[in-house]
Amino acid sequence: MLRWLAAAGFALVLCLSWACGESIGLGTAGTTLSVSATRGAAADSLIDSVQITVTKEDGTIIGSGAARFPAGVNTVPVQVTVTLSTQIEDVQVRVDLLSNGQIVFTRSTRVTIRRGESNDVSGVSPVAWDSLSPAAGPAPRFGAGMILGFNAPLRLVLFGGSVRNEPANDTWEYYAGSWHLVVTDSSPPARVFPVMVWDNYQAKVVLFGGGGVNGELNDTWTYDGVNWVRVATATSPPPRVGAAGMWGGVWKPGIGPVVVFGGGSGGGTLNDTWTFDGSNWTKVTVDSSPPPRMLHGMSWDPPTGAPYIVGGYDNGTVLSDRWILGPLGWRREVTPGGPGPLAGQAMVTDPVLNKVFVFGGANRDSILHETWSFDGAWSRLNTGGTHPPAGVGVAADVAAGGGSMAVFGGYTGTALRQDTWILGFDSKWTKLPDPSFPPARERAAVVTTPVGSASSPLGGAVLFGGMGATGTLLKDTWVFDGYGWVERKPVADPPARSDHALALDPVAGRVVLFGGLSPAPSADTWLFDGRTWTNPVTATAPGSRSGHAMVFDGERQEVVLFGGLGGSGTLSDTWTWKNGAWTSRVVTPSPPARSGHVMVYDAVRKRVMLFGGDGGSSLLGDTWEWNGTQWTAVTTTGAIPPRRAAGAVFDPVRKHLLVFGGQGASARLADTWELDGASWTQVDIGRRPAARAAAVMFNLPAMGRSFVFGGRDNGGVVGDMWSLR
């Protein structure tokens, strides 16, 4: 068990006492897994090989295999021999599809296998749903690991820490304005004060060591935004807790990018230096080294990019020395000033301001709340009187576009914290507020906006209107920027409506709205520039309608509209919007008349894809594509049920069309399907949104995620939000 106490004369004494752990030996009985890996026909030129990894529930790798896809062959069998310790065992099977050695698609599942038998693996899923509805967030804790990852705006990943005097192993992510619990197929064991680093080369979180339930740890794990995977390394640093690490790519590009120094082990402290290259650890031989320590701060030195250490704790002494790792070894950094003796502090380097920032920690007498910066000279910041409470063991990392530093939790000397703060570029602290969400609604419309757009400079989505829980038509405008939802208050806006359509016209830098029920079918066109809505006068326009679909055709640089429900029934006309004008496109053949269908632009195949809808007398499950001049029916395999009012996006990571939910023939649906251009595949896992129809769905490429908001489930209109990773 991990115990922490406040001892007389020193406010930060961490008493680490460990019970002895037991080990389990693996048997040698051979068992075969037969995994069938498939790539879609459209991916033939992209995906060239597959890697299979089989792990136990604790992350131990017990088997692996690989194969290449021959030209023109889209399914290959992979035989994997695994070693089991029991007759029957639950394992995780991960399937990575690769292009030129880079993972572009990942599927994973848990299966039960039997020793000495041949086991077939099927139904492997590449997706996971996370609920983004406002929640309490991580429990109060200290000593957690936290990083900013995945090159996304303020997407923080937090793991473990000490919760109620025990190490924890929960994973949380902060994005969309709040913390969200991440449910993964496997997870590192519980721990406190691990090393946690964002590896920009692998685009993964790296976690190493820490204090576990039964002692110090030296295992290595990576997190790709979907699952934790234990890395089987030939060598590893000795077990330790309270070490410090950083991404060393800014120091020496091309070397092992993760650098780790020091920590506590077996009642003492360490002063060794190690690097991790993504697959193995290497001990760094240096001519000189700082004295042993733990609970020190470590980041990169702004002028050189080299690892930079501040303070720490060793054998009853809180340290104040500072060290920089040079070409031959560590050297003492003696710049005047600075925070003095300090341990358990938060420390990061902001690449925007090119400064080191230090917050909190403890000296021998007290726990602190001071904020310091270093850019060649030390300065104690005047943060305006508003700051996080004094804290030790505060989790921290840079805050990307949101500011210089993000901190979470910590121990104040009397209580554990669970609040999140951002240090802005103006050196002022701001406590992140509880998230806001649009009111519950169905039959709204949403469109993704690119990075740099007026509506959302960091890229995001614009949502307008819909029907509220009481049946009231809405006319509010909301923008989601990856941080959270913000309601816009335009000078002018369209009349309230539902069942309308939105599309982005990036050429004009406008969001285009057309039609809908207001409450009668309408035929008006509106444009949103990020500040206000305008109603342009057009020479011609599509007829009044609702339940139509619109999407921007990136290849032809025009918005495409199809179908809907007009005054005389369902429609099958095609229109395009370009240069501020509507043009009717009379083409044969054409998809049958319909409403409630989905349309998505496939950026790989450079086609507008159309699926499903309500044909008036029956639901449809057909697939069509538009190439700018004609519609073509697509012959697909896979038994996706017909539906209307589904959500759909193009996922640029998977390079597939994704469809979620909708209204089926007899019930609302909760399934997720993907189309690779020729084949529909169901990709659900257990945890997912409730069955619903008339939700909105959008994808944010900068975050690598798709989102679903609102709709109507079996209990009525809802306002929850989910993320697909």
Side-chain angles (χ1 to χ4, degrees):
M1 174 185 290
L2 176 72
R3 300 185 287 111
W4 43 261
L5 301 170
F10 179 46
L12 173 74
V13 173
L14 297 180
C15 297
L16 305 175
S17 63
W18 314 104
C20 295
E22 297 180 353
S23 62
I24 298 176
L26 295 179
T28 58
T31 300
T32 300
L33 285 180
S34 299
V35 183
S36 180
T38 301
R39 60 176 178 177
D44 194 13
S45 62
L46 298 173
I47 296 172
D48 53 29
S49 58
V50 59
Q51 172 72 42
I52 310 296
T53 306
V54 183
T55 59
K56 296 180 64 176
E57 291 293 301
D58 65 359
T60 303
I61 296 176
I62 58 174
S64 62
R68 295 191 65 84
F69 289 94
V73 176
N74 295 316
T75 299
V76 295
V78 184
Q79 302 295 318
V80 182
T81 299
V82 299
T83 301
L84 303 182
S85 56
T86 59
Q87 181 64 33
I88 302 175
E89 194 159 343
D90 291 330
V91 301
Q92 177 187 337
V93 179
R94 175 181 170 123
V95 181
D96 294 322
L97 300 180
L98 299 90
S99 176
N100 294 322
Q102 300 296 315
I103 297 174
V104 297
F105 195 79
T106 297
R107 303 182 176 206
S108 62
T109 191
R110 288 178 177 176
V111 297
T112 300
I113 58 177
R114 296 176 179 273
R115 179 192 287 179
E117 297 181 10
S118 179
N119 298 265
D120 292 329
V121 178
S122 60
V124 183
S125 171
V127 301
W129 285 100
D130 296 321
S131 174
L132 305 189
S133 299
R141 68 190 65 203
F142 81 113
M146 188 173 84
I147 59 91
L148 175 86
F150 304 102
N151 300 314
L154 200 58
R155 182 176 171 185
L156 301 169
V157 180
L158 182 141
F159 178 83
S162 178
V163 179
R164 294 182 292 273
N165 286 354
E166 294 289 343
N169 74 331
D170 48 346
T171 302
W172 294 79
E173 288 197 21
Y174 184 95
Y175 59 95
S178 63
W179 285 102
H180 312 288
L181 179 66
V182 179
V183 179
T184 58
D185 289 340
S186 60
S187 179
R191 66 194 65 204
V192 64
F193 286 111
V195 172
M196 196 161 164
V197 177
W198 172 250
D199 183 346
N200 208 39
Y201 292 157
Q202 294 191 91
K204 294 180 180 179
V205 177
V206 175
L207 182 142
F208 168 76
V213 175
N214 296 316
E216 297 96 350
L217 304 168
N218 69 337
D219 50 345
T220 304
W221 294 74
T222 61
Y223 174 67
D224 62 3
V226 177
N227 281 314
W228 286 99
V229 175
R230 184 170 182 177
V231 182
T233 59
T235 58
S236 183
R240 64 194 63 203
V241 60
M246 58 164 274
W247 182 61
V250 289
W251 173 45
K252 286 187 177 182
I255 71 160
V258 176
V259 182
V260 169
F261 175 83
S265 182
T269 51
L270 304 167
N271 68 339
D272 48 351
T273 305
W274 292 77
T275 64
F276 178 68
D277 63 5
S279 59
N280 204 21
W281 288 94
T282 301
K283 187 174 183 180
V284 180
T285 301
V286 294
D287 291 342
S288 58
S289 186
R293 67 194 63 208
M294 62 184 295
L295 301 175
H296 45 293
M298 182 173 175
S299 188
W300 51 274
D301 172 50
T304 65
Y308 184 39
I309 285 175
V310 173
Y313 175 77
D314 177 42
N315 194 28
T317 301
V318 183
L319 305 172
S320 62
D321 52 344
R322 303 185 291 269
W323 295 77
I324 293 177
L325 182 57
L328 299 179
W330 292 92
R331 63 176 176 82
R332 186 85 176 260
E333 192 274 309
V334 292
T335 303
L342 199 61
Q345 69 272 27
M347 178 172 166
V348 305
T349 300
D350 177 6
V352 177
L353 298 181
N354 212 31
K355 290 183 178 181
V356 172
F357 289 90
V358 173
F359 170 76
N363 57 28
R364 184 172 182 82
D365 300 316
S366 60
I367 296 178
L368 308 171
H369 62 70
E370 285 85 0
T371 305
W372 292 80
S373 71
F374 175 74
D375 58 0
W378 282 98
S379 299
R380 181 176 174 180
L381 300 184
N382 178 4
T383 59
T386 299
H387 52 73
V392 65
V394 176
D397 202 3
V398 295
S404 297
M405 187 181 200
V407 300
F408 172 84
Y411 176 58
T412 67
T414 59
L416 296 178
R417 305 285 304 185
Q418 65 179 145
D419 43 353
T420 307
W421 293 72
I422 297 293
L423 179 65
F425 296 128
D426 59 357
S427 298
K428 307 299 181 185
W429 284 101
T430 301
K431 184 179 178 180
L432 293 183
D434 294 332
S436 62
F437 279 73
R441 68 193 64 205
E442 62 173 327
R443 297 154 60 184
V446 70
V447 64
T448 299
T449 58
V451 173
S453 64
S455 63
S456 180
L458 292 174
V462 175
L463 178 144
F464 178 81
M467 180 176 288
T470 62
T472 303
L473 294 178
L474 305 172
K475 63 172 185 175
D476 48 349
T477 303
W478 291 78
V479 172
F480 179 77
D481 61 2
Y483 294 93
W485 287 101
V486 177
E487 185 178 4
R488 293 295 175 89
K489 301 289 187 179
V491 176
D493 45 35
R497 68 190 64 206
S498 67
D499 302 279
H500 48 293
L502 292 179
L504 178 69
D505 181 356
V507 178
R510 300 289 187 271
V511 170
V512 183
L513 179 154
F514 181 80
L517 294 175
S518 188
S522 60
D524 50 348
T525 302
W526 290 81
L527 304 177
F528 182 61
D529 63 3
R531 295 172 294 276
T532 191
W533 290 94
T534 57
N535 181 206
V537 177
T538 59
T540 186
S544 299
R545 68 191 67 207
S546 62
H548 48 294
M550 293 198 314
V551 69
F552 181 73
D553 182 340
E555 180 69 11
R556 267 66 61 176
Q557 296 287 289
E558 59 189 11
V559 174
V560 180
L561 178 152
F562 179 83
L565 181 63
S568 59
T570 51
L571 303 168
S572 61
D573 51 343
T574 303
W575 291 76
T576 58
W577 169 269
K578 191 173 187 176
N579 299 326
W582 287 104
T583 301
S584 176
R585 307 294 293 272
V586 180
V587 293
T588 302
S590 176
R594 68 191 68 203
S595 65
H597 49 292
V598 295
M599 289 205 315
V600 171
Y601 177 68
D602 185 332
V604 173
R605 303 179 64 251
K606 303 189 185 305
R607 298 285 191 273
V608 170
M609 307 300 296
L610 180 151
F611 169 75
D614 187 344
S617 60
S618 63
L619 296 182
L620 303 171
D622 52 345
T623 306
W624 291 74
E625 65 178 22
W626 168 258
N627 66 2
T629 59
Q630 66 180 30
W631 287 100
T632 303
V634 180
T635 301
T636 61
T637 59
I640 180 172
R643 65 193 66 202
R644 64 173 175 83
V649 296
F650 178 77
D651 187 326
V653 176
R654 296 180 177 86
K655 298 180 172 60
H656 290 169
L657 166 68
L658 293 175
V659 170
F660 167 76
Q663 178 65 52
S666 59
R668 296 181 183 93
L669 305 171
D671 49 351
T672 306
W673 292 76
E674 65 180 5
L675 175 68
D676 63 6
S679 178
W680 286 101
T681 304
Q682 188 172 358
V683 292
D684 284 323
I685 60 173
R687 190 169 186 259
R688 58 186 180 181
R692 68 189 65 202
V696 295
M697 187 171 182
F698 59 94
N699 179 273
L700 293 189
M703 297 189 69
R705 293 192 174 222
S706 297
F707 299 85
V708 165
F709 172 77
R712 178 181 288 271
D713 67 13
N714 294 330
V717 177
V718 294
D720 56 344
M721 187 170 176
W722 291 76
S723 169
L724 184 68
R725 53 188 169 94

